[in-house]
Amino acid sequence: MSMANDDTTSPADETATTGTAGAQGSGTAADDAPGVGSPEKDPQDWVTGDEPMTGPQGSYLSTLAREAGEEVPDDLTKAQASELIEELQSRTGRGPGQGA
């Protein structure tokens, strides 16, 4: 590229640059979110799926279960909690794309 062209960049050039940096990850929560930047894995295939559910999973499950009139066991794994979240989201209308 000549010096005369160095002062002008097209939106495509900026997107390519940003896309490269984004592909390396910025360490934000969005990088780890399911469906953001990578295909969603089956919870049974998660490396940490057998670990106890996280605090946020438990809190969200509690909210969903209350709305669905369900009881949630306290000893769920991360994978089990994720699957139950999806089920309860579907039943309560709070799932992705359901306008909640």
Side-chain angles (χ1 to χ4, degrees), residues 21-34 36-38:
Q24 294 172 355
S26 61
T28 65
D31 290 339
D32 299 329
V36 177
S38 65

Short mmCIF file of all heavy atoms in Angstrom, two decimals, residues 21-34 36-38:
data_model
loop_
_atom_site.label_atom_id
_atom_site.label_comp_id
_atom_site.label_asym_id
_atom_site.label_seq_id
_atom_site.Cartn_x
_atom_site.Cartn_y
_atom_site.Cartn_z
N ALA A 21 -8.95 -9.15 16.06
CA ALA A 21 -8.75 -8.97 17.50
C ALA A 21 -9.85 -9.68 18.26
O ALA A 21 -9.60 -10.31 19.28
CB ALA A 21 -8.74 -7.48 17.85
N GLY A 22 -11.09 -9.59 17.78
CA GLY A 22 -12.21 -10.23 18.45
C GLY A 22 -12.07 -11.74 18.46
O GLY A 22 -12.50 -12.40 19.39
N ALA A 23 -11.49 -12.30 17.41
CA ALA A 23 -11.35 -13.75 17.33
C ALA A 23 -10.40 -14.27 18.40
O ALA A 23 -10.51 -15.39 18.84
CB ALA A 23 -10.85 -14.15 15.94
N GLN A 24 -9.47 -13.41 18.84
CA GLN A 24 -8.53 -13.83 19.86
C GLN A 24 -9.16 -13.76 21.24
O GLN A 24 -8.65 -14.31 22.19
CB GLN A 24 -7.28 -12.95 19.82
CG GLN A 24 -6.48 -13.14 18.55
CD GLN A 24 -5.37 -12.14 18.42
OE1 GLN A 24 -5.23 -11.24 19.24
NE2 GLN A 24 -4.56 -12.28 17.40
N GLY A 25 -10.27 -13.07 21.37
CA GLY A 25 -10.97 -12.97 22.64
C GLY A 25 -10.49 -11.80 23.45
O GLY A 25 -9.31 -11.45 23.44
N SER A 26 -11.39 -11.17 24.13
CA SER A 26 -11.04 -10.02 24.94
C SER A 26 -11.13 -10.32 26.42
O SER A 26 -10.89 -9.46 27.24
CB SER A 26 -11.96 -8.83 24.58
OG SER A 26 -13.31 -9.18 24.85
N GLY A 27 -11.53 -11.54 26.75
CA GLY A 27 -11.63 -11.91 28.15
C GLY A 27 -12.91 -11.42 28.80
O GLY A 27 -13.03 -11.45 30.01
N THR A 28 -13.87 -10.96 28.03
CA THR A 28 -15.12 -10.50 28.61
C THR A 28 -16.09 -11.65 28.76
O THR A 28 -15.91 -12.70 28.17
CB THR A 28 -15.77 -9.41 27.72
OG1 THR A 28 -16.12 -10.00 26.48
CG2 THR A 28 -14.86 -8.22 27.52
N ALA A 29 -17.13 -11.44 29.54
CA ALA A 29 -18.13 -12.47 29.75
C ALA A 29 -18.81 -12.86 28.45
O ALA A 29 -19.21 -14.00 28.26
CB ALA A 29 -19.16 -11.99 30.77
N ALA A 30 -18.95 -11.90 27.53
CA ALA A 30 -19.60 -12.20 26.26
C ALA A 30 -18.82 -13.24 25.46
O ALA A 30 -19.40 -14.00 24.70
CB ALA A 30 -19.78 -10.93 25.43
N ASP A 31 -17.49 -13.28 25.65
CA ASP A 31 -16.69 -14.27 24.94
C ASP A 31 -17.05 -15.68 25.38
O ASP A 31 -16.91 -16.63 24.63
CB ASP A 31 -15.19 -14.06 25.22
CG ASP A 31 -14.66 -12.81 24.56
OD1 ASP A 31 -15.29 -12.34 23.59
OD2 ASP A 31 -13.63 -12.30 25.02
N ASP A 32 -17.49 -15.83 26.62
CA ASP A 32 -17.80 -17.13 27.17
C ASP A 32 -19.27 -17.48 27.08
O ASP A 32 -19.67 -18.58 27.43
CB ASP A 32 -17.37 -17.19 28.65
CG ASP A 32 -15.88 -16.97 28.81
OD1 ASP A 32 -15.11 -17.34 27.90
OD2 ASP A 32 -15.50 -16.44 29.85
N ALA A 33 -20.08 -16.55 26.65
CA ALA A 33 -21.52 -16.78 26.60
C ALA A 33 -21.88 -17.76 25.49
O ALA A 33 -21.35 -17.68 24.40
CB ALA A 33 -22.26 -15.46 26.38
N PRO A 34 -22.80 -18.68 25.78
CA PRO A 34 -23.22 -19.61 24.74
C PRO A 34 -23.83 -18.87 23.56
O PRO A 34 -24.57 -17.93 23.73
CB PRO A 34 -24.29 -20.46 25.42
CG PRO A 34 -24.18 -20.19 26.86
CD PRO A 34 -23.48 -18.89 27.03
N VAL A 36 -22.43 -17.00 21.47
CA VAL A 36 -21.74 -15.77 21.09
C VAL A 36 -20.37 -16.15 20.56
O VAL A 36 -19.49 -16.50 21.32
CB VAL A 36 -21.61 -14.80 22.28
CG1 VAL A 36 -20.83 -13.56 21.88
CG2 VAL A 36 -22.97 -14.42 22.80
N GLY A 37 -20.21 -16.11 19.25
CA GLY A 37 -18.91 -16.35 18.65
C GLY A 37 -18.55 -17.80 18.43
O GLY A 37 -17.57 -18.10 17.80
N SER A 38 -19.32 -18.72 18.99
CA SER A 38 -19.01 -20.13 18.78
C SER A 38 -20.29 -20.94 18.90
O SER A 38 -21.22 -20.53 19.57
CB SER A 38 -17.98 -20.61 19.81
OG SER A 38 -18.52 -20.56 21.10
#
